[in-house]
């Protein structure tokens, strides 16, 4: 297979042209045929990496922790049975997700930020030869500082390194000199020595002037891709690629919770106790509202009903549960006529007989509840006052509550739910909460373990 890469211009750093980089700059799309299943599978694998990075950043992981996380995520998800195809998978998956995330300003902003972070940490793991090859490919004018020049500047370089708590320069280290306008970030923060229009950049600082070039190119490319998508690609591929592209940005990539595989059936006699101890806030709110008002609108019935199906509530019990509540408001006869069909439909017993799956966090977060609705994600859709009250009712301590509210304010809704889980159960959840049924399943496991330890 041939992948078209950007053409390198001859330069003084000719030796670097022979170095093969494992990090493409994604300047040109690949000119190779991609099977439809690979188109989607490669994109999903990369999306697992990007979402893992996003979660790590939201959790405030330190740079060394992020470096390990990125490396582990990449190794786990971006492998290929054929070693020669790894680079193609990398490039194809990037361009597929570029198509997926070009479509709105919010999507572009997220993709640009996380792809840049991915590039930053992958770049840091590469050798100085690869760094030079990438600088050459980007057209950045640079020179390697000679030993004689280094000795003449060593005292000045040492002063700068000490002032910014950088490793002290040594004779076997590598320094580059580049026009100072190429490193505005380093100049602005006074982390680099400047002389005669050149900035003297240490090897561990090279990423600071590579990243702006990468980010600038990708930002422009996303805007151009969006224009092509809206003017041509979306319509041309409406029966083939468009459904895949439009679904990927909101797709749930975790385990299937359509059936309660591990925890068995949910008993109606236990449902209130289980709701108090193991339901996530979104489902606890719907459950409590149903118990109080004896009614939920369609969106709430779908969100809670499919969740209950996923935690093991059988069809007959589901009908009995909903009928017991709704009958108090609309009467048993009206329930049988207007609402029972929808419950059977969710279980695949009516209509097309589709076995519907419980909603993921992503689907719930992106819902738009209207007046009188109670579905959606409380971390996104509740006011701060209502969210604090709901979290207090779940038993979240005041200290943890402030952390949860802060994450909700900064739009890290799933992390806010993860912190709630950790506060309620006193146990960490490194994988993060990505699905209400995952919250329930993990909660039940912790509660069962506590029962056994006290038995």
């Amino acid at each position: 297979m041939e992948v078209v890469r950007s053409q390198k211009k001859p330069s003084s750093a000719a030796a670097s042209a022979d170095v093969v980089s494992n990090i493409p700059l994604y300047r040109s799309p690949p000119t190779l045929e991609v099977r439809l299943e690979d188109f989607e599978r490669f994109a999903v694998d990369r999306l697992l990496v990007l979402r893992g990075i996003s979660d790590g950043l939201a959790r405030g992981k330190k740079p060394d922790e992020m470096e390990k996380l990125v490396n582990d995520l990449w190794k786990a998800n971006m492998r290929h049975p054929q070693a020669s195809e790894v680079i193609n998978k990398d490039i194809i998956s990037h361009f597929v997700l570029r198509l997926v995330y070009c479509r709105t300003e919010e999507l572009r902003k997220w993709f640009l930020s996380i792809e840049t972070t991915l590039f930053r940490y992958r770049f840091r793991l590469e050798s100085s030869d690869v760094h030079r090859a990438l600088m050459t490919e980007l057209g950045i004018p640079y020179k390697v500082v000679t030993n004689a020049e280094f000795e003449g500047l060593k005292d000045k370089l040492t002063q700068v390194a000490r002032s910014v708590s950088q490793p002290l320069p040594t004779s076997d280290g590598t320094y580059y000199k580049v026009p100072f306008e190429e490193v505005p970030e380093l100049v602005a923060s006074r982390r680099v020595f400047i002389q005669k229009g050149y900035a003297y950049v240490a090897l561990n600082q090279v990423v600071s002037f590579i990243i702006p070039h990468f980010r600038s190119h990708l930002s422009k490319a996303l805007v151009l891709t969006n224009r092509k998508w809206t003017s041509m690609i979306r319509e041309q591929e409406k029966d083939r690629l468009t459904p895949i592209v439009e679904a990927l940005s909101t797709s749930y990539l975790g385990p299937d919770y359509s059936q309660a595989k591990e925890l068995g059936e949910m008993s109606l006699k236990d449902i209130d106790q289980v709701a108090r101890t193991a339901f996530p806030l979104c489902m606890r709110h719907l459950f409590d509202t149903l118990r109080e008002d004896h009614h939920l609108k369609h969106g709430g019935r779908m969100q809670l009903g499919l969740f209950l199906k996923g935690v093991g509530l059988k069809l007959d019990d589901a009908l009995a549960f909903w009928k017991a509540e709704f009958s108090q408001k609309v009467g048993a006869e009206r329930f049988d006529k207007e609402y029972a069909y929808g419950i059977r439909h969710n279980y695949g017993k009516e209509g097309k007989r589709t076995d519907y799956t419980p909603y993921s966090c992503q689907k719930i977060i992106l819902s738009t509840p209207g007046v009188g609705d109670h579905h959606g994600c409380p971390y996104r859709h509740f006011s701060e006052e209502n969210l604090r009250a709901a979290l207090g009712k779940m038993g979240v301590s005041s200290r943890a509550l402030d952390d949860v509210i802060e994450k909700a304010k900064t739009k890290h809704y799933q992390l806010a739910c993860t912190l709630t889980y950790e506060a309620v159960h006193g146990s960490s959840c490194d994988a993060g909460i990505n699905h209400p049924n995952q919250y329930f399943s993990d909660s039940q496991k912790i509660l069962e373990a506590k029962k056994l330890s006290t038995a």
Side-chain angles (χ1 to χ4, degrees):
M1 285 187 181
E2 179 186 2
V3 177
V4 174
R5 302 289 298 280
S6 55
Q7 298 298 313
K8 296 181 182 178
K9 297 178 181 179
S11 75
S12 58
S16 66
D18 296 328
V19 177
V20 177
S21 169
N22 290 320
I23 314 178
L25 292 171
Y26 314 109
R27 312 287 268 189
S28 304
T31 56
L32 50 82
E33 291 186 2
V34 181
R35 294 181 304 171
L36 198 58
E37 56 266 35
D38 288 342
F39 181 93
E40 185 171 12
R41 182 166 57 86
F42 290 177
V44 166
D45 287 347
R46 191 183 195 92
L47 198 48
L48 287 167
V49 176
L50 298 187
R51 288 185 180 172
I53 292 171
S54 180
D55 183 67
L57 292 172
R59 285 174 171 269
K61 287 186 180 289
K62 297 175 182 177
D64 57 334
E65 294 173 323
M66 283 300 302
E67 186 170 303
K68 182 180 184 305
L69 175 66
V70 170
N71 197 31
D72 290 346
L73 286 167
W74 191 262
K75 286 180 178 177
N77 296 289
M78 294 301 291
R79 290 175 296 183
H80 193 283
Q82 295 174 261
S84 60
E85 291 300 305
V86 171
I87 188 70
N88 283 336
K89 179 177 179 179
D90 182 3
I91 296 170
I92 291 165
S93 63
H94 170 87
F95 277 95
V96 174
L97 290 187
R98 187 185 287 189
L99 198 60
V100 171
Y101 283 89
C102 76
R103 295 172 299 121
T104 69
E105 180 63 31
E106 187 177 2
L107 291 176
R108 288 194 293 273
K109 185 178 178 181
W110 183 85
F111 184 71
L112 179 63
S113 172
I114 306 303
E115 273 286 340
T116 301
T117 300
L118 171 61
F119 182 85
R120 178 188 295 274
Y121 284 102
R122 291 182 67 196
F123 181 87
R124 284 170 57 167
L125 294 171
E126 292 289 350
S127 67
S128 57
D129 286 340
V130 170
H131 293 174
R132 286 194 286 272
L134 289 172
M135 285 191 281
T136 300
E137 188 168 352
L138 287 167
I140 298 173
Y142 74 92
K143 296 178 182 178
V144 179
V145 175
T146 64
N147 288 337
E149 192 174 7
F150 172 79
E151 290 300 328
L153 297 171
K154 187 175 180 179
D155 290 344
K156 299 282 180 65
L157 296 174
T158 299
Q159 287 178 17
V160 172
R162 280 199 179 116
S163 70
V164 293
S165 302
Q166 289 282 336
L168 298 182
T170 59
S171 57
D172 59 348
T174 302
Y175 267 82
Y176 302 102
K177 64 178 184 180
V178 298
F180 76 89
E181 62 268 20
E182 293 285 347
V183 287
E185 180 184 325
L186 295 176
V187 173
S189 57
R190 300 186 177 184
R191 287 184 290 143
V192 68
F193 173 66
I194 299 175
Q195 179 175 276
K196 296 181 179 178
Y198 283 96
Y200 288 75
V201 182
L203 180 62
N204 63 357
Q205 296 175 309
V206 170
V207 68
S208 295
F209 62 89
I210 292 286
I211 288 299
H213 283 268
F214 177 84
R215 186 183 181 92
S216 174
H217 169 77
L218 181 55
S219 179
K220 294 172 184 174
L222 283 166
V223 173
L224 292 174
T225 305
N226 178 52
R227 290 176 188 167
K228 290 180 181 177
W229 169 258
T230 53
S231 65
M232 179 175 60
I233 302 173
R234 181 171 56 192
E235 181 61 27
Q236 286 181 349
E237 296 288 345
K238 64 182 180 181
D239 297 323
R240 195 170 65 112
L241 296 185
T242 298
I244 297 174
V245 168
E246 292 182 340
L248 272 171
S249 64
T250 58
S251 59
Y252 168 66
L253 308 176
D256 176 16
Y257 290 104
S258 58
Q259 300 292 334
K261 297 184 177 72
E262 297 179 9
L263 301 169
E265 296 182 11
M266 163 77 75
S267 170
L268 279 182
K269 66 181 176 62
D270 298 328
I271 196 168
D272 286 274
Q273 172 64 21
V274 172
R276 285 194 297 272
T277 57
F279 280 20
L281 180 55
C282 57
M283 300 305 170
R284 173 83 175 266
H285 172 64
L286 286 169
F287 185 87
D288 289 348
T289 301
L290 178 61
R291 285 299 203 207
E292 291 167 11
D293 297 347
H294 312 297
H295 189 270
L296 285 173
K297 288 189 173 183
H298 177 74
R301 296 197 301 274
M302 288 293 292
Q303 184 172 309
L304 179 60
L306 289 173
F307 168 79
L308 292 174
K309 174 191 171 189
V311 302
L313 190 66
K314 296 304 179 184
L315 175 56
D316 288 344
D317 286 340
L319 286 166
F321 168 74
W322 289 98
K323 185 172 185 175
E325 292 302 325
F326 269 59
S327 294
Q328 298 179 56
K329 190 81 171 254
V330 302
E333 186 177 349
R334 185 178 168 194
F335 173 84
D336 290 336
K337 286 182 177 179
E338 297 183 18
Y339 298 101
Y341 176 91
I343 296 165
R344 292 195 299 271
H345 190 269
N346 283 348
Y347 279 76
K349 304 302 181 183
E350 299 285 1
K352 294 180 180 178
R353 302 191 180 274
T354 301
D355 191 17
Y356 291 96
T357 59
Y359 290 174
S360 67
C361 289
Q362 195 77 7
K363 186 177 181 69
I364 292 170
I365 288 167
L366 293 173
S367 64
T368 52
V371 177
D373 283 323
H374 293 278
H375 65 282
C377 174
Y379 303 100
R380 180 180 183 186
H381 299 118
F382 276 19
S383 67
E384 181 178 337
E385 182 182 0
N386 287 345
L387 183 56
R388 283 185 179 276
L391 291 168
K393 188 177 177 181
M394 289 185 75
V396 178
S397 67
S398 57
R399 182 177 178 182
L401 198 151
D402 288 337
D403 291 338
V404 173
I405 295 294
E406 179 59 31
K407 293 304 179 186
K409 282 182 177 178
T410 53
K411 299 183 180 181
H412 296 301
Y413 308 117
Q414 288 171 241
L415 183 53
C417 188
T418 303
L419 294 178
T420 302
Y421 171 93
E422 293 177 343
V424 168
H425 295 298
S427 177
S428 63
C429 181
D430 294 336
I433 298 297
N434 298 296
H435 200 292
N437 292 74
Q438 173 209 349
Y439 184 110
F440 173 83
S441 176
D442 290 353
S443 296
Q444 287 289 75
K445 289 174 186 175
I446 288 176
L447 294 169
E448 287 297 322
K450 287 180 179 177
K451 277 185 189 177
L452 291 174
S453 65
T454 57

